[in-house]
Structure formats: structure tokens, C-alpha cells
């Protein structure tokens, strides 16, 4: 479990801890400004507890953690099944397990970390057979079970993120480019057909509210005459795009340095309550309005630095399982950040994904801290350089 003699403390990623701490504390400040219900205090407590757990996991050998791969997988499936039949509902979806009062667990967030760890073990074990149809079939089947349970909540956005994480891990494991090409040749026509079917009246592929968000994004600049030909009207489109329009307005109004946290400006989009739940999905709009371009850019830079640091750790990992853990966590940060900021800036349809380390959400923050703790342990066991090998042999 602990193997201090094999750890290389000089490679311990202090930078990653610093980036995470700066971004999380910035998130606490913005959450406090976006909401006055004490969410910032809960987020701060969660961060402190998560930081302690992260530092503890950083000294626990990740190979020891991977020994519990089936336990993690089965427990996560159990939580997802429980949510399906007895979870708390909200916003048209059933995604939560209520623990106490306002404290709850969102298993779809935990699933992202469990998928990374489980497939890091599996693909490491079968790394010589990664391009075997049998191995790929079993991996796909084991992935599709939690994927379906999350998709059925319904949680389309988290399902897409989970799929992207799985694809990233498979790619990093050494998947043949022939398989990738084949997937593109088959997948693009299927995706195009699904998009066509979704646009048809009476479709049952996705929920109506999901279709509405997609149509609102697709026809946001259409005239009333063009919309009438599609059986739509401009008032419906405006209602669908209401939050994203206000989000873009808020970000633009912040200009260079913003209006300041907890300001009382009457022209503030936040103060006018034009954004629902601004401390979660649209936290980036609050960052843009109150901290301006400088603050918005700082958030992007910190997220980028975290993802790049994870990739650097993956590059220097001593084995495939370590590489997949660090690379998988980089994928979570990169894809989820892109989707959240893309929604806030209206370059993507509206989804319900939190911004890593910034949005209010104890499940999201705690799960990310757990994953980053394992990444830190990967950094402690990096591959020896040629000079280090020679020095060790000389000693």
C-alpha cells in the first residue's frame, strides 16, 4: 500500500496541487457571489476534506487501489441502479441519492472516476491483446452497462462525457488506427441518421426537453418565416435560448476586469436573477461578469494547466495503468470544461455539466479530488530516466 522507498519525491507534482487549490478557492469565491444560501461554505468544507483525501491517496500505491477494480465497478453499478429505482428527481431527471438534508451523491460523477480506474486495470492487464476483437467486445460491453444507466436517468451530457473518456482511454492504450478509421466510417453515417430522426416530429430517441435545446441552438438565428416552415415559432426558440442569451450578455458586460464579486450593480445579469442556478451550470457567466476577461481567461488557463500536467504525468508514467489513469483524468477535465464553457458562451447546445473545481457541487468536487489523488501517486512513481538508471546501477 505504501512504498516510500520507491517513490521519487522530487517528481511529486506540487504544481498540480497548486493549480487545483487556486481554481477551487476561486470557485468558492464565485459561488459565494452567485448564491447567498451558504453554498460557498459547503463547497469550502468539501474542498478541505477533499484536499486531505487527495494528499492521502497520493501516497497510496495506485496498483494497490487497482486491486479493487471489480469492487469499484460493482459498487458504482449498484449506485446507478439504486438511482434508477429510488433516486431523488429534479429538473426532469432522476440522478441523486439523498444522504442527509441538502447533501447528496450523484453516482454519474463517481462513474467517471470508476471508469478511468477500472479500464486502467483492464487494459493494462490485456495490453498485449488490446486490438483483439474479444478484448474490445468485452471492454465495450462493460462500458455500455453504466453508460446506459446514466443515459436512462436521463443524463445525455454526462453520457457523452463518459463515452469520450472511454474513447480517450482506449486510444491511449494503443488502439489500432484501423479500428479508429472503421469506427469513423460506421459512426458518422449512423450519427447523421440519428440527427435526422431526432429532428422528425414524434421522435422517441431523446426526451422532448433535450430536443428543444438542440432545436433552439440549431435555429437560434432563424426568422419567424423560416421557423414556421419547421412547425416552430420564434417565441419558443427565444424561451429555449433565454439562459444562454443572458449568459453571453453577462460575460460580455464584464469587459476587462469585471464588475467585482458580490457587487450590487443594478445592470448585473446575476443581480437581476436572469440566470437560474448560476452557481452550477452557468458559473462561467458569473466569472465573466464579475471578474471580466481577465478572470475568465484565468479560469481557462488553470483548467488547461491541470489537463496538461495530467498529460505530462501520463507521458512519464512507469506503466500503462498509470498512463491511463493520468490520461483519463486529463480527458475528464478537458472535455467537461469545453462543454461547460461552450454552453456558457453559446457555442454548444444547453447541457447540465458542472465546470471542474469551479461549479458548486460536492459530488463533482470530491470525485475529482479522489481522481487527482491517484494521479499524484502516478507522478511519484514515474519512469526512471536513463541517467537515473545508470546512477541506480552504480550505487
Amino acid at each position: 500500500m505504501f512504498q516510500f522507498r520507491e517513490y521519487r519525491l522530487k517528481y511529486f507534482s506540487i504544481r498540480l496541487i497548486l493549480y487545483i487549490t487556486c481554481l477551487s478557492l476561486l470557485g468558492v469565491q464565485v459561488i459565494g457571489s452567485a448564491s447567498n444560501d451558504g453554498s460557498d461554505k459547503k463547497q469550502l468544507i468539501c474542498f478541505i476534506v477533499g484536499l486531505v483525501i487527495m494528499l492521502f491517496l497520493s501516497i497510496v500505491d495506485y496498483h494497490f487501489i487497482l486491486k479493487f477494480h471489480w469492487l469499484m465497478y460493482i459498487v458504482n453499478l449498484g449506485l446507478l441502479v439504486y438511482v434508477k429505482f429510488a433516486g431523488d428527481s429534479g429538473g426532469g431527471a432522476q440522478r441523486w441519492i439523498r444522504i442527509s438534508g441538502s447533501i447528496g451523491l450523484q453516482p454519474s460523477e463517481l462513474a467517471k472516476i470508476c471508469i478511468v480506474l477500472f479500464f486502467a486495470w483492464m487494459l493494462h492487464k490485456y495490453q498485449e491483446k488490446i486490438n483483439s476483437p474479444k478484448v474490445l467486445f468485452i471492454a465495450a460491453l462493460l462500458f455500455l452497462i453504466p453508460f446506459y444507466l446514466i443515459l436512462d436517468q436521463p443524463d445525455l451530457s454526462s453520457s457523452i462525457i463518459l463515452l469520450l473518456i472511454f474513447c480517450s482511454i482506449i486510444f491511449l492504450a494503443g488502439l489500432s488506427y484501423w479500428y479508429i478509421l472503421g469506427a469513423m466510417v460506421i459512426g458518422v453515417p449512423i450519427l447523421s441518421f440519428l440527427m435526422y430522426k431526432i429532428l422528425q416530429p414524434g421522435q422517441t430517441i431523446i426526451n422532448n426537453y433535450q430536443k428543444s435545446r438542440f432545436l433552439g441552438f440549431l435555429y437560434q438565428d432563424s426568422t419567424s418565416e423560416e421557423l414556421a416552415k419547421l412547425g416552430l415559432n420564434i417565441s419558443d426558440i427565444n424561451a429555449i435560448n433565454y439562459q444562454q442569451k443572458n449568459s453571453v450578455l453577462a460575460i460580455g458586460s464584464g469587459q476587462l476586469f469585471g464588475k467585482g464579486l458580490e457587487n450590487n450593480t443594478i445592470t448585473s445579469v446575476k443581480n437581476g436573477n436572469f440566470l437560474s442556478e448560476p452557481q452550477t451550470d452557468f458559473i462561467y457567466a458569473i466569472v465573466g461578469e464579475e471578474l471580466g476577461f481577465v478572470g475568465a481567461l484565468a479560469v481557462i488557463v488553470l483548467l488547461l494547466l491541470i489537463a496538461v500536467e495530467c498529460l505530462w504525468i501520463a507521458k512519464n508514467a512507469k506503466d500503462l495503468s498509470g498512463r491511463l489513469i493520468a490520461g483519463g483524468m486529463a480527458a475528464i477535465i478537458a472535455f467537461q470544461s469545453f462543454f461547460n464553457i461552450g454552453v456558457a458562451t453559446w457555442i454548444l447546445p444547453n447541457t447540465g455539466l458542472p465546470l471542474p473545481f469551479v461549479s458548486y457541487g460536492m459530488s463533482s468536487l470530491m470525485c475529482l479530488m479522489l481522481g487527482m489523488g491517484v494521479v499524484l501517486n502516478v507522478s511519484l512513481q514515474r519512469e526512471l530516466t536513463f541517467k537515473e538508471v545508470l546512477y541506480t546501477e552504480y550505487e
Side-chain angles (χ1 to χ4, degrees):
M1 182 175 180
F2 301 102
Q3 48 176 12
F4 297 110
R5 294 178 64 182
E6 296 184 22
Y7 290 165
R8 297 172 181 86
L9 295 178
K10 67 176 181 178
Y11 294 125
F12 187 62
S13 185
I14 300 295
R15 292 190 301 271
L16 184 58
I17 298 174
L18 181 63
Y19 300 150
I20 291 172
T21 301
C22 290
L23 189 59
S24 297
L25 292 179
L26 176 62
V28 170
Q29 292 294 315
V30 178
I31 290 168
S33 181
S35 174
N36 57 5
D37 61 358
S39 295
D40 56 331
K41 295 180 177 62
K42 296 176 187 176
Q43 188 83 346
L44 179 60
I45 292 171
C46 184
F47 166 70
I48 293 171
V49 174
L51 183 64
V52 172
I53 295 174
M54 182 179 75
L55 293 175
F56 171 75
L57 288 176
S58 71
I59 60 173
V60 178
D61 184 8
Y62 65 89
H63 300 99
F64 174 78
I65 294 174
L66 293 183
K67 289 180 180 179
F68 302 95
H69 52 276
W70 279 114
L71 178 63
M72 289 185 287
Y73 182 84
I74 292 170
V75 167
N76 187 243
L77 281 188
L79 292 173
L80 290 172
V81 171
Y82 179 87
V83 165
K84 179 176 177 62
F85 294 103
D88 276 16
S89 301
Q94 194 163 310
R95 304 174 184 173
W96 295 88
I97 296 176
R98 188 62 52 193
I99 297 174
S100 174
S102 60
I103 300 175
L105 172 66
Q106 192 171 0
S108 59
E109 293 296 329
L110 183 61
K112 298 169 188 174
I113 310 301
C114 289
I115 286 294
V116 169
L117 295 177
F118 179 81
F119 285 103
W121 164 81
M122 180 182 177
L123 298 177
H124 174 76
K125 181 178 180 180
Y126 297 103
Q127 59 184 306
E128 301 300 329
K129 301 178 180 178
I130 181 61
N131 290 301
S132 162
K134 180 181 178 181
V135 171
L136 290 175
F137 174 78
I138 293 172
L141 182 63
L142 290 170
F143 166 75
L144 286 173
I145 298 171
F147 175 81
Y148 168 75
L149 289 171
I150 293 173
L151 182 64
D152 193 52
Q153 290 180 357
D155 192 349
L156 180 61
S157 52
S158 290
S159 301
I160 292 173
I161 293 295
L162 207 66
L163 178 61
L164 292 171
I165 294 167
F166 177 71
C167 291
S168 300
I169 293 173
I170 289 285
F171 173 77
L172 290 172
L175 183 66
S176 169
Y177 285 101
W178 287 109
Y179 280 112
I180 297 173
L181 180 61
M184 292 177 64
V185 169
I186 297 172
V188 171
I190 291 176
L191 182 61
S192 300
F193 176 74
L194 287 175
M195 297 291 286
Y196 168 77
K197 292 296 290 182
I198 287 171
L199 294 175
Q200 303 308 305
Q203 64 83 34
T204 57
I205 298 173
I206 60 175
N207 286 13
N208 287 331
Y209 80 90
Q210 294 169 334
K211 179 182 177 180
S212 296
R213 290 177 176 181
F214 179 72
L215 291 176
F217 174 79
L218 197 62
Y219 299 114
Q220 56 184 278
D221 297 320
S222 300
T223 64
S224 56
E225 291 79 11
E226 292 170 333
L227 291 173
K229 295 177 182 178
L230 299 167
L232 303 171
N233 62 70
I234 200 164
S235 60
D236 289 338
I237 296 297
N238 287 336
I240 294 166
N241 294 328
Y242 178 76
Q243 285 208 86
Q244 286 181 282
K245 282 184 177 180
N246 288 332
S247 175
V248 171
L249 178 63
I251 294 170
S253 69
Q255 299 185 40
L256 186 59
F257 295 109
K259 301 172 183 176
L261 292 171
E262 301 183 18
N263 69 81
N264 56 6
T265 307
I266 59 173
T267 57
S268 167
V269 175
K270 180 206 72 178
N271 293 340
N273 294 319
F274 294 114
L275 288 171
S276 62
E277 301 296 328
Q279 73 274 24
T280 53
D281 301 347
F282 286 93
I283 193 72
Y284 193 72
I286 307 302
V287 173
E289 181 175 56
E290 303 199 338
L291 299 178
F293 175 78
V294 173
L297 181 62
V299 167
I300 292 176
V301 169
L302 284 170
L303 288 166
L304 179 61
L305 288 172
I306 292 172
V308 169
E309 187 68 18
C310 288
L311 290 174
W312 178 255
I313 292 171
K315 176 181 177 295
N316 295 292
K318 75 175 185 179
D319 57 24
L320 181 61
S321 59
R323 188 180 312 130
L324 297 183
I325 290 170
M329 290 304 300
I332 293 175
I333 301 301
F335 288 123
Q336 198 158 308
S337 299
F338 174 75
F339 272 74
N340 180 279
I341 295 174
V343 169
T345 54
W346 210 3
I347 64 172
L348 291 174
N350 197 352
T351 63
L353 288 168
L355 186 60
F357 300 108
V358 182
S359 291
Y360 173 69
M362 290 181 280
S363 290
S364 174
L365 180 59
M366 187 62 71
C367 290
L368 287 172
M369 300 294 273
L370 292 174
M372 287 301 172
V374 185
V375 172
L376 286 169
N377 185 260
V378 175
S379 74
L380 279 173
Q381 301 188 59
R382 66 172 288 176
E383 186 178 24
L384 284 172
T385 64
F386 180 70
K387 288 183 178 180
E388 287 172 331
V389 171
L390 291 178
Y391 180 76
T392 302
E393 291 179 351
Y394 177 77
E395 281 191 321

